[in-house]
Amino acid sequence: MSATIALACLLLVGEQSTKADPADLAQRIDERLQVRFDSEQVLPAERAADDEFLRRLSLDLIGRIPTPKEVQSFLADSSIAKRELLIDQLLGSKKHACHFARVWRALLMPESEVEPQLRYFEPGLEAWLQERRQDNVGFDGIVRELLTVPIVGPNEQPQVVLRDLRRPNPLAFIAAKNADPAKIASASTRLFLGLRLECAQCHNHPFDNWSQEQFWNQAAFFAGIERRGRGPFAPLVEVTTRRTIALMDSDQIVSPAFLDQSQPRPTDNGPARAELARWITAPENPYFARAITNRVWSQLFGTGIVEPVDDIRDSNAPSHPELLRELSESFAAADFDVALIYRALCRTAAYQRTSRQSDPSQSRAELFAKMPVRPLSGEQFFDSLALAVAYESTADRSPGEPERDPVRQAVLGLFAGASGGGNPQTSVAQALALMNGDVTDGAIRPKSGARLQQIINEFPESSERQIEVLYLSTLSRLPTQEETQTLIDFNGLGDKTSRQQNMGDIFWMLLNSAEFCWNH
């Protein structure tokens, strides 16, 4: 073996040895939570049953409930390690990459919720995110590529934003913010550093130590970007030599400077934003790893270790500072492998606890003594509903293609996005749509409901089996004996036609139950 190869092997071993084992990391997380339980006399909830765990994990990692077949297969599996194997299986699937892309597209481009034109950018951004997740690109690499996406110079052919909407492209992040340096800087610090710096845009930050000048120092990294023309599809160009910007309503000019008061390296070529991307994603950056791990924690536990997740400051302390530090250090040491964090968190006893409260001490969400009940995002809800009722879109969507299904669009329009990166918002309109909307109305009619027809035809003489499959299709569990008997008694009334309609009523009841509409 040559000296070069030997050195390379040693370096590789050294790199691998710094990455935490997911099982070990999960155990350390639980140990740190237990310290808090002991000190505050908290009795944590019991371990969730397999069906509860399967439903939660499916919603969190692939964005939909499991199929009846998936539920039956998981419940029948007697292997001790089946939960760990399922976590690995889902994280390695294309469905997870698709769900990851949708979650982060919504965070990166919230403007599309209120500006319909911007929705044309969504397919390309989602496709790009999905590709990066499937290729297991480190989160630092994703952020660097996002912030340094090539933009042509002023003397080159102007770059029309996203000529091909299907092509994977991260440019939408900048284009959706009107190529405005202040907006790009605000979004970058909020998303990737967990800091609400925009409060310092007009004056010094009222609750933290950030000054107005520091805000515009960040905007100066993007000072060279400009949009030529009006509207979101106007061409973008970048003057890389322009590296200063004026403070709002002031003649004061500032240059790029990092938030830790260090200075970017002098460069003759290339955009200044490349230096910001390098600083943000550096392993020694005190903000980046903490912000991303806290956000992933919030996605899985409903509450961040720092809450709100994008408001990390001295006066808003983490609930478990040692735990957040350990997660952040493990994330950075693993080359910002986000799969490690997902894998470790899903393995914890904390994640696998039931949402059923059995002791008053479990009521404080920030202690993570039980799994909270969480609202579904619009996409989680529609994809779960479509699966439950066997809805087939006439314009099925795949990443890289614009959304064309009006039914899906109508449902998604009822769901506001996550406020500040937290949980999605629920509304009366959502409840009414589920009770009376076209998808539900068609699904519960024996002559038009695909799932209902399938169940009735497959088990024409067994109300018990029909009820069982309806439960598996909606609540991802088998009915209890009491539920089965109650519904058999209800369905036994009347002739064949009446019994089929009764089964439609049962389907409606299950679809409108809180157990179906929430992640628990």
Side-chain angles (χ1 to χ4, degrees):
M1 182 182 294
S2 69
T4 302
I5 295 176
L7 178 59
C9 291
L10 286 172
L11 289 173
L12 181 61
V13 170
E15 289 176 359
Q16 290 175 338
S17 65
T18 62
K19 296 184 179 179
D21 177 79
D24 291 342
L25 182 56
Q27 182 177 349
R28 295 201 297 276
I29 293 168
D30 283 323
E31 288 172 352
R32 293 196 180 279
L33 292 174
Q34 187 62 48
V35 170
R36 189 73 176 275
F37 296 157
D38 293 341
S39 67
E40 304 207 20
Q41 298 182 323
V42 172
L43 179 65
E46 297 293 325
R47 178 180 165 96
D50 281 344
D51 48 14
E52 183 181 355
F53 168 78
L54 171 63
R55 188 178 192 278
R56 177 188 307 156
L57 190 73
S58 298
L59 283 166
D60 284 338
L61 295 189
I62 62 173
R64 62 155 176 80
I65 60 174
T67 67
K69 185 177 180 181
E70 289 168 347
V71 178
Q72 291 172 311
S73 174
F74 190 68
L75 295 181
D77 188 347
S78 60
S79 63
I80 296 175
K82 68 177 183 179
R83 293 194 180 193
E84 289 74 18
L85 292 173
L86 180 66
I87 293 167
D88 292 344
Q89 175 192 331
L90 295 185
L91 282 174
S93 69
K94 289 184 179 179
K95 295 185 183 72
H96 168 67
C98 180
H99 180 59
F100 172 89
R102 287 174 173 173
V103 169
W104 277 95
R105 186 266 304 154
L107 292 170
L108 293 168
M109 201 171 62
E111 299 88 352
S112 65
E113 291 178 12
V114 292
E115 295 184 50
Q117 273 192 310
L118 295 178
R119 291 174 189 161
Y120 286 96
F121 289 154
E122 291 180 354
L125 183 55
E126 280 188 21
W128 177 78
L129 286 163
Q130 183 174 351
E131 276 190 357
R132 296 304 177 272
R133 184 68 198 89
Q134 283 180 272
D135 294 341
N136 204 29
V137 175
F139 210 86
D140 57 333
I142 292 176
V143 172
R144 277 197 301 273
E145 195 173 346
L146 190 76
L147 294 179
T148 61
V149 57
I151 298 177
V152 299
N155 297 322
E156 301 174 73
Q157 181 69 28
Q159 182 179 17
V160 177
V161 176
L162 302 185
R163 291 178 185 274
D164 181 358
L165 293 172
R166 300 184 179 190
R167 184 168 62 88
N169 196 325
L171 190 59
F173 174 67
I174 290 175
K177 289 156 186 61
N178 302 328
D180 182 331
K183 291 181 179 177
I184 303 169
S186 294
S188 300
T189 52
R190 179 184 282 256
L191 285 166
F192 310 133
L193 303 177
L195 304 173
R196 293 185 178 183
L197 209 63
E198 63 269 27
C199 290
Q201 184 170 355
C202 307
H203 45 70
N204 291 342
H205 199 294
F207 308 116
D208 216 331
N209 296 323
W210 308 118
S211 67
Q212 184 186 17
E213 183 172 337
Q214 282 180 298
F215 173 86
W216 289 99
N217 288 146
Q218 308 315 297
F221 282 106
F222 303 98
I225 300 175
E226 60 184 60
R227 190 169 69 182
R228 292 190 169 175
R230 302 178 64 183
F233 301 105
L236 296 182
V237 297
E238 182 173 27
V239 183
T240 57
T241 55
R242 186 193 300 150
R243 299 185 175 188
T244 58
I245 197 167
L247 269 65
M248 175 179 281
D249 301 327
S250 168
D251 294 330
Q252 183 180 348
I253 304 297
V254 297
S255 300
F258 301 129
L259 289 174
D260 63 359
Q261 300 185 341
S262 62
Q263 296 295 316
R265 297 177 302 191
T267 55
D268 296 328
N269 300 311
R273 55 195 168 97
E275 279 295 291
L276 179 64
R278 180 190 61 77
W279 178 80
I280 286 178
T281 59
E284 60 273 18
N285 186 307
Y287 307 106
F288 179 63
R290 182 177 58 180
I292 303 305
T293 52
N294 185 51
R295 193 174 285 277
V296 174
W297 180 283
S298 176
Q299 290 170 2
L300 295 178
F301 287 93
T303 300
I305 299 174
V306 177
E307 188 67 27
V309 293
D310 55 359
D311 193 16
I312 300 176
R313 51 188 159 85
D314 292 342
S315 54
N316 185 30
S319 60
H320 298 73
E322 297 298 326
L323 171 56
L324 184 57
R325 180 163 54 247
E326 174 145 20
L327 278 173
S328 304
E329 291 174 355
S330 298
F331 185 44
D335 300 327
F336 301 104
D337 178 8
V338 72
L340 168 71
I341 303 303
Y342 279 117
R343 188 169 281 113
L345 295 186
C346 292
R347 280 172 170 255
T348 60
Y351 181 80
Q352 299 188 24
R353 289 195 179 97
T354 181
S355 60
R356 292 181 176 84
Q357 181 168 316
S358 54
D359 189 89
S361 65
Q362 299 160 6
S363 61
R364 292 171 59 190
E366 73 275 15
L367 295 181
F368 311 106
K370 69 177 177 67
M371 180 55 66
V373 177
R374 294 169 279 156
L376 302 180
S377 69
E379 281 150 339
Q380 283 175 319
F381 177 81
F382 181 82
D383 290 347
S384 298
L385 177 63
L387 186 66
V389 304
Y391 169 79
E392 291 189 8
S393 170
T394 55
D396 195 19
R397 185 193 191 206
S398 60
E401 295 182 354
E403 177 62 71
R404 295 193 181 95
D405 183 356
V407 176
R408 179 188 174 92
Q409 282 290 72
V411 173
L412 295 185
L414 297 171
F415 285 76
S419 176
N423 288 320
Q425 306 299 304
T426 57
S427 69
V428 174
Q430 296 168 23
L432 291 174
L434 189 55
M435 286 191 287
N436 307 307
D438 292 339
V439 176
T440 306
D441 186 62
I444 63 173
R445 297 182 184 278
K447 292 185 178 179
S448 59
R451 178 71 69 199
L452 197 56
Q453 285 180 357
Q454 172 194 347
I455 293 171
I456 291 173
N457 292 336
E458 191 170 355
F459 308 106
E461 304 301 328
S462 174
S463 294
E464 182 175 355
R465 290 290 291 140
Q466 291 176 13
I467 293 166
E468 181 179 297
V469 179
L470 283 179
Y471 266 74
L472 290 171
S473 301
T474 53
L475 307 187
S476 312
R477 67 172 174 86
L478 293 168
T480 65
Q481 288 185 349
E482 184 180 5
E483 289 169 334
T484 300
Q485 191 57 56
T486 300
L487 295 176
I488 285 176
D489 293 343
F490 168 76
N491 195 43
L493 303 175
D495 56 16
K496 178 180 178 181
T497 301
S498 298
R499 289 198 300 275
Q500 290 184 353
Q501 184 55 54
N502 290 344
M503 200 57 67
D505 292 342
I506 293 171
F507 201 11
W508 183 92
M509 175 197 70
L510 294 172
L511 291 172
N512 281 276
S513 67
E515 192 173 350
F516 175 75
C517 299
W518 294 72
N519 188 2
H520 46 83

